[in-house]
Amino acid sequence: MSASPKQRILGLREQIDYHNYRYYSLDDPEITDSAYDRLIRDLEELEHKYPQYQSPQSPTQNVGGAFSKTFSEVAHAIPMRSLGNAFNEEEIFAFDRRVRELLEENNDIEYIAEPKLDGLAVSLRYEDGWLVQAATRGDGKTGENITQNMRMVLGSSTQLRGNSIPEVFEVRGEVFMSRNDFARLNDKQKTRGKKLFVNPRNAAAGSLRQLDPAVTASRPLKIFCYALGEVRGVSVPDTHLESLEMIGAFGLPITDLIQPVSGVKGCLDYHRTILERRSDLPFDIDGVVYKVSRMDWQQQLGHTARAPRWAIAHKFPAQEEMTILESIDIQVGRTGAITPVARLKPVFVGGVTVSNATLHNQEEIKRLDVRVGDTVIVRRAGDVIPEIVSVVVSSRPEGALEFEFPVTCPECDSAIVNEGDGVIARCSGGLFCEAQKKQSIKHFASRKAMDIEGLGDKLVDQLVTDKKISDVADLFSLSLEDISGLDRMADKSAGNLSNAIESSKSTTLARFLYSLGIPLVGETTAENLADNLGSLKSIMSATTEMLQTIPDVGPIVAQSLRTFFEQNHNVEVVNRLIDSGIHWPAIEASAPVQENMFTGKTVVLTGALSISRAEAKLILQSSGAKVTGSVSAKTDYVIAGEDAGSKAEKAEKLGVSILDENQFMENVGNL
Ligand code: IVH
C-alpha cells in the first residue's frame, strides 16, 4: 500500500531536516542542490494540496540553517530571509505578474538583476564605521557569531571608507571561493593527506566556519555584498541600485555583473547573457536574482515566512546531479595510458545527457571509494569532461565490492606498469597493443590532425581488427576494394572515403606534426615548432637545447620529441608517410612585421579582453611578438583583461610589466 499524504509529508520533512543538517551544520552535503530543491518542491506541493497538514515547523516555512555548538549565537536585527526559486521562464512571468498585481502597476517594473553566488550568506554589522559583528544566516532569525573569522576575510574592509559614516550599517553578502582558489586549496589538501572539498561552496563554508580564525585567514575567501540590513544615522536610498552603490562607496565589494533591467524581457535577456558567461566567470553561480529596485515597492510587497515577494532566484540548469554507477570500464589511450571510465545511468546534467564520466586513475577510485552500484554525484560544468565528485555512501547497495584495478591490459594482456609517482598506469604493449594502435590512428585521422573525413572510430576499429592496417602509414595503401569490403560500407561512401584519404595528403607541416601523436605535442606546440623550425627535417634533427628556444617548449616536451624521433620504427613510419605523397607548402616568410613596442618581445595574454584571444594573438604576432601560454622570467609583457587571475599575480611577483587592454591597444600602433 502506498504511503498516505500525511506520511509522505512527514517523510519528506524528515529527509529535508537531515539534509539541512548535513549542509548547514556539517558543511558536508550528501545530495546535490537540485535533488534538495526537488524534495522542497515535492513537499510544497503536498502541503499546498493538503493544507490541514501544514505546520510552522515545516522546512518550507523556515530558512534551512542549523547550528553547530562551536559558535555563540547572535540575533539578527532584521531577519535574513531566503529567496523563492524559479526554474523556467513561465515561473518568472508568474512572479512578475504577481508583483504587478500587488502593486497595481501596468508598466514594466525596474528590476536589479544580479548573479546568484553559490557561497554562504553572512551579515556584517558596522558601528561608527567599524565592523562589530559578523554572523551566518543560521535559521534567519539567529545566526552564528563569526566576527573574528570575517575580519580575516575582509582585511581592510573591517573599516568603512569615506565620509558621512552611518551610526549603524548592516550589510548582507555572500562569502565564496573562486574556482581557481578552490582547485589550489584542494591540491594543498591532497599533498597534506587531508580531506578534499567537493566543490567551492563546500570549501568556502568549511573555511569560514572554523573555530580557529587563523585557519580561515589561510583560506582564500572573498565576499560580494548584495543588500542592506539595519541602517541608522543615514537615510536608506530610494532604490536597491543606489543601496548597492552606497555599499560600494563605503569600500565593500559588490560584483560588476549587477545590472538594472526592465520587465520580464530584461530579466530573461540578463539570464541568457549570464548563463552564456557562466563557465568563464571565476566563481560558481547557480542562477541569477531579480529584485524590485524601488524600496517603497519592496516595503509594499513585503515577504512570506521564508522569502521576500519582491525578489526571486532564477536558477540555472544544475551542474551536479545524482545517478547510478553501472560499471567501470578500462580505456587504453594512444600512448597506453590506462583510464578508468564510469558508465552511468544516463542523467541530464549541465544541459546535456551524460552517460560516461572520467575516473582519472586508480588513486581517484580509491579516494572516492566508488563501487559499481553506488549512487554518485556527477558534475558537468561548461565543456569540461563530466566527473564524479562524490558517492552517496548511505545509498550503497549491500555487498558492493571495491573495484579491483587490472594488472594486465584488457586489450592485449601486456603488463600494466605504473609510472612516476604511481598515478599513471600504462599498458606496456606499445604498438603491439591493438587499443593503442587504434587510438593513434583515430588521432591521426581526426579533424585537427589530418582531417580524414568519414574515417570515424568504428571504421578504424574494423580496419585494425580485420588486420587491413596496423599503423597510420598503412591508410595510404588501402585499396578501394579494401574499403568497400568493410561492413555496412556502400560504394558511394567507400569512394568518398578513398577520396578523403587522398586529399588529406595535402596538409600543413603543423598538422602533420600534430597528427603523429608525439606525447605532449599539442596543436599549439606543433604550430610553434613548424613556424620556428620551418621544415620536418630541422624538427627531426633539432637538439633538445635548440627545441627549448621555441615558445611553449620546455625540457620535458623537448625530450619527448627527441625520444620520439630516436625510435627507428617512428622514423620508418614518417618516411613511409612522406613516400605515400603527404606534402605541405613550404613555410612562407611571414608578412612584413608592423614594428611596435611588442616586436621581438615575449607576451602572455590573460583574462577577458573585449576582442577575442585569437584576435589579440594575431595582432601581437603580426607585430613580431612571441605569444606564450605561461608567465616566466622570460616574459616581457602580460596583457591582463578582466578577471585576470594567477598569471597576472605571477607577473607581479616576477616584476613583469602588466598592461591593461587600453594600454595594449594604444601601443600596438606605436613604437
Ligand atoms: S538576496 C531577502 N542576492 O541565495 C533577500 N541572495 O537562496 C536575501 N544569494 O540566502 C537574499 N546571491 O545566500 C540575494 N545576489 C544575491 C545572492 C543571494 C546569492 C544567496 C543568499 C541567500 C540565498 C537564497
Side-chain angles (χ1 to χ4, degrees):
M1 213 176 68
S2 63
S4 69
K6 185 175 174 192
Q7 282 168 327
R8 273 155 59 209
I9 287 177
L10 292 179
L12 279 167
R13 283 185 191 154
E14 197 176 313
Q15 277 186 57
I16 293 168
D17 283 341
Y18 170 73
H19 292 303
N20 276 343
Y21 169 72
R22 301 234 22 156
Y23 186 93
Y24 291 108
S25 296
L26 302 184
D27 293 328
D28 189 16
E30 199 175 74
I31 61 170
T32 56
D33 292 353
S34 49
Y36 176 84
D37 287 342
R38 280 193 290 271
L39 291 176
I40 291 275
R41 286 234 145 174
D42 289 351
L43 180 57
E44 274 171 353
E45 270 168 29
L46 280 171
E47 286 176 346
H48 187 71
K49 207 160 149 200
Y50 304 100
Q52 65 271 36
Y53 302 128
Q54 183 57 282
S55 144
Q57 261 72 53
S58 170
T60 58
Q61 302 304 302
N62 293 288
V63 170
F67 298 89
S68 63
K69 296 199 176 58
T70 43
F71 297 96
S72 61
E73 292 184 9
V74 288
H76 296 302
I78 295 178
M80 286 183 78
R81 295 197 169 81
S82 183
L83 285 170
N85 285 330
F87 295 92
N88 54 49
E89 300 194 348
E90 285 73 56
E91 290 173 343
I92 297 304
F93 277 103
F95 162 76
D96 175 69
R97 211 175 307 121
R98 201 166 53 234
V99 165
R100 281 184 295 115
E101 268 164 25
L102 290 169
L103 297 174
E104 296 179 8
E105 184 62 42
N106 286 326
N107 296 324
D108 280 349
I109 305 284
E110 173 159 274
Y111 293 106
I112 303 305
E114 304 171 9
K116 185 173 188 309
L117 300 152
D118 201 8
L120 64 162
V122 296
S123 182
L124 310 173
R125 187 178 174 89
Y126 292 84
E127 287 179 7
D128 299 322
W130 289 94
L131 181 81
V132 293
Q133 190 171 76
T136 63
R137 188 177 68 176
D139 65 5
K141 295 184 195 81
T142 318
E144 295 161 315
N145 187 338
I146 50 156
T147 314
Q148 295 311 330
N149 296 6
M150 269 318 289
R151 285 192 206 285
M152 304 300 159
V153 179
L154 288 164
S156 62
S157 301
T158 44
Q159 188 186 9
L160 298 183
R161 257 200 338 235
N163 304 317
S164 322
I165 300 285
E167 202 181 311
V168 173
F169 195 66
E170 234 183 58
V171 183
R172 269 90 198 256
E174 194 87 349
V175 171
F176 65 96
M177 195 178 282
S178 76
R179 275 197 288 271
N180 280 343
D181 285 337
F182 161 72
R184 271 195 288 265
L185 174 62
N186 257 357
D187 281 347
K188 233 194 255 171
Q189 294 283 103
K190 202 173 193 175
T191 25
R192 293 180 188 163
K194 294 201 177 144
K195 189 171 175 245
L196 298 195
F197 296 103
V198 290
N199 56 37
R201 197 218 87 93
N202 180 247
S207 301
L208 188 60
R209 298 172 74 248
Q210 284 282 341
L211 259 194
D212 179 1
V215 178
T216 306
S218 73
R219 302 280 173 81
L221 294 174
K222 295 193 174 80
I223 181 170
F224 279 133
C225 301
Y226 50 65
L228 290 176
E230 189 187 11
V231 175
R232 270 195 261 151
V234 66
S235 52
V236 174
D238 290 340
T239 64
H240 177 63
L241 186 60
E242 289 165 301
S243 304
L244 293 171
E245 283 163 359
M246 184 178 204
I247 295 171
F250 282 132
L252 299 178
I254 51 175
T255 100
D256 53 8
L257 298 171
I258 294 165
Q259 205 176 293
V261 296
S262 180
V264 175
K265 183 175 179 303
C267 292
L268 300 183
D269 284 347
Y270 180 81
H271 184 267
R272 220 166 290 128
T273 314
I274 301 292
L275 182 56
E276 269 168 25
R277 291 182 60 184
R278 184 185 199 180
S279 54
D280 297 329
L281 295 176
F283 42 78
D284 274 356
I285 58 176
D286 54 353
V288 294
V289 185
Y290 314 126
K291 299 173 181 173
V292 171
S293 192
R294 267 176 62 170
M295 290 302 213
D296 56 337
W297 281 355
Q298 289 194 3
Q299 289 285 333
Q300 204 177 321
L301 289 161
H303 49 79
T304 65
R306 212 169 173 258
R309 287 197 195 88
W310 44 263
I312 194 156
H314 190 177
K315 298 292 258 319
F316 286 160
Q319 291 185 319
E320 287 184 3
E321 274 297 356
M322 294 199 295
T323 187
I324 307 282
L325 174 67
E326 293 184 327
S327 62
I328 298 178
D329 281 357
I330 295 293
Q331 258 175 13
V332 186
R334 177 159 56 81
T335 55
I338 301 279
T339 315
V341 179
R343 304 291 181 206
L344 306 166
K345 182 162 176 246
V347 62
F348 192 73
V349 55
V352 297
T353 300
V354 166
S355 41
N356 304 309
T358 176
L359 280 164
H360 300 292
N361 51 45
Q362 191 168 359
E363 286 288 291
E364 180 75 351
I365 296 182
K366 272 205 201 123
R367 181 180 78 75
L368 292 165
D369 182 24
V370 62
R371 304 178 187 192
V372 171
D374 270 342
T375 298
V376 293
I377 295 180
V378 182
R379 179 176 173 86
R380 180 186 181 272
D383 292 329
V384 181
I385 303 171
E387 276 190 312
I388 291 183
V389 288
S390 61
V391 172
V392 185
V393 181
S394 58
S395 309
R396 173 166 289 162
E398 231 173 277
L401 297 178
E402 270 180 50
F403 180 70
E404 277 199 40
F405 206 81
V407 287
T408 56
C409 172
E411 294 280 343
C412 73
D413 235 10
S414 307
I416 290 179
V417 289
N418 288 314
E419 275 179 11
D421 46 13
V423 176
I424 301 177
R426 222 182 268 284
C427 159
S428 57
L431 285 181
F432 165 74
C433 175
E434 245 179 43
Q436 292 189 48
K437 259 186 227 172
K438 287 175 182 167
Q439 295 297 342
S440 64
I441 298 169
K442 288 172 192 171
H443 170 78
F444 182 84
S446 65
R447 202 167 45 81
K448 290 178 177 169
M450 297 296 285
D451 193 17
I452 307 182
E453 217 188 310
L455 187 57
D457 290 0
K458 290 222 172 79
L459 278 184
V460 173
D461 289 345
Q462 226 190 103
L463 286 166
V464 176
T465 310
D466 294 355
K467 305 227 170 336
K468 295 230 164 86
I469 57 173
S470 74
D471 63 32
V472 293
D474 290 344
L475 282 171
F476 297 95
S477 39
L478 277 175
S479 65
L480 190 57
E481 292 74 57
D482 286 332
I483 299 174
S484 51
L486 293 168
D487 290 352
R488 290 186 297 276
M489 176 63 81
D491 282 354
K492 182 148 183 270
S493 328
N496 288 347
L497 179 55
S498 177
N499 289 340
I501 294 177
E502 190 55 34
S503 54
S504 76
K505 287 182 181 171
S506 169
T507 184
T508 65
L509 174 55
R511 272 177 181 271
F512 179 72
L513 203 55
Y514 171 66
S515 73
L516 295 177
I518 304 166
L520 306 175
V521 177
E523 282 165 90
T524 315
T525 309
E527 270 167 31
N528 287 337
L529 286 163
D531 288 351
N532 287 275
L533 292 171
S535 74
L536 180 62
K537 216 162 142 210
S538 328
I539 297 169
M540 288 175 73
S541 58
T543 60
T544 49
E545 289 76 25
M546 200 186 286
L547 289 167
Q548 284 179 72
T549 60
I550 292 164
D552 280 343
V553 178
I556 300 175
V557 177
Q559 192 49 55
S560 175
L561 280 154
R562 285 279 9 108
T563 308
F564 185 88
F565 289 119
E566 274 162 13
Q567 312 286 317
N568 285 336
H569 61 96
N570 289 336
V571 176
E572 188 236 342
V573 171
V574 170
N575 288 336
R576 278 168 52 219
L577 286 168
I578 303 297
D579 290 347
S580 73
I582 291 182
H583 61 278
W584 48 83
I587 308 279
E588 291 168 23
S590 23
V593 161
Q594 297 287 316
E595 282 209 3
N596 55 38
M597 72 182 267
F598 299 111
T599 310
K601 303 288 182 197
T602 303
V603 184
V604 172
L605 290 162
T606 180
L609 301 170
S610 60
I611 55 173
S612 75
R613 241 336 133 81
E615 218 173 321
K617 194 170 168 185
L618 219 62
I619 295 176
L620 284 164
Q621 282 171 339
S622 60
S623 308
K626 255 190 219 165
V627 181
T628 65
S630 55
V631 178
S632 74
K634 285 191 215 153
T635 312
D636 295 298
Y637 297 106
V638 167
I639 295 168
E642 262 180 58
D643 298 321
S646 59
K647 287 184 191 172
E649 277 168 30
K650 189 162 177 203
E652 216 164 290
K653 264 192 213 132
L654 292 171
V656 174
S657 310
I658 305 177
L659 307 180
D660 64 19
E661 183 168 356
N662 286 338
Q663 291 166 314
F664 162 50
M665 285 310 200
E666 276 163 21
N667 283 300
V668 277
N670 311 320
L671 256 183

